[in-house]
Amino acid sequence: MQANTDAPQATERHHAQGIWRHLALRYLERSAARYPDKVAVVDEEGSLTYGRLYERVRRAGTTLAARGLGGRPAIVFADKGIDTIVAFLGVLAAGGCYVPVDPGVPDERAAGIARALGESFVLARTSDAARARVLFAGREIVTFAELDAVKPDD
């Protein structure tokens, strides 16, 4: 009989992921407190300061937690951009993990990712929501616009 060596490794991976998740959010929180008016992220459509980024991440995390994300994975179906960064960090703030999926990925690849993840949320831009509903049928689709729905408690 062989010992199961997967369990300790899985536990160690989970612990390491938790540490990194908390470090990323702690860094953002500290940066927002120190440099609220400094530009944190820039894309083709604009920029966000650390203060505004932190506010949006808190709203996204609160919204996702209220919708039951918890420790579940979330597919972030979007191109690179500020909203995608907000989605990534919002998922972490809600206690989940995210898997980025480019909207240009072949349908078979997207379906394979979804199967591998099992039950998961899908976050998408409003413009990609219709395709996300087809590719990830049966999963809850949350648009980036909905991530600002719930104001966090201070």
Side-chain angles (χ1 to χ4, degrees):
M1 182 173 197
Q2 290 183 322
N4 182 355
T5 58
D6 291 325
Q9 292 172 355
T11 301
E12 290 168 11
R13 275 195 307 273
H14 178 72
H15 178 70
Q17 290 168 347
I19 289 171
W20 287 112
R21 179 182 71 231
H22 294 296
L23 285 175
L25 295 173
R26 190 174 327 151
Y27 176 80
L28 175 58
E29 182 178 20
R30 287 181 181 167
S31 297
R34 286 184 182 158
Y35 316 108
D37 298 322
K38 276 194 165 189
V39 174
V41 291
V42 177
D43 70 8
E44 301 81 32
E45 297 177 17
S47 64
L48 281 183
T49 63
Y50 280 105
R52 182 69 179 121
L53 176 61
Y54 181 61
E55 178 185 319
R56 287 192 59 200
V57 166
R58 289 187 63 223
R59 282 182 179 266
T62 301
T63 298
L64 292 169
R67 291 180 81 155
L69 178 69
R72 295 170 34 200
I75 296 169
V76 179
F77 187 65
D79 293 320
K80 295 176 184 175
I82 290 173
D83 289 339
T84 305
I85 292 170
V86 170
F88 289 165
L89 294 172
V91 168
L92 295 179
C97 62
Y98 64 86
V99 177
V101 176
D102 188 288
V105 72
D107 292 359
E108 302 80 34
R109 177 76 177 131
I113 292 168
R115 274 193 308 277
L117 290 175
E119 188 179 341
S120 57
F121 276 68
V122 178
L123 282 66
R125 294 183 193 280
T126 303
S127 59
D128 294 320
R131 182 161 182 250
R133 283 186 183 88
V134 172
L135 287 175
F136 307 111
R139 290 173 172 76
E140 183 171 357
I141 308 295
V142 180
T143 65
F144 286 179
E146 294 174 90
L147 293 179
D148 282 331
V150 179
K151 183 178 181 200
D153 295 329
D154 288 324

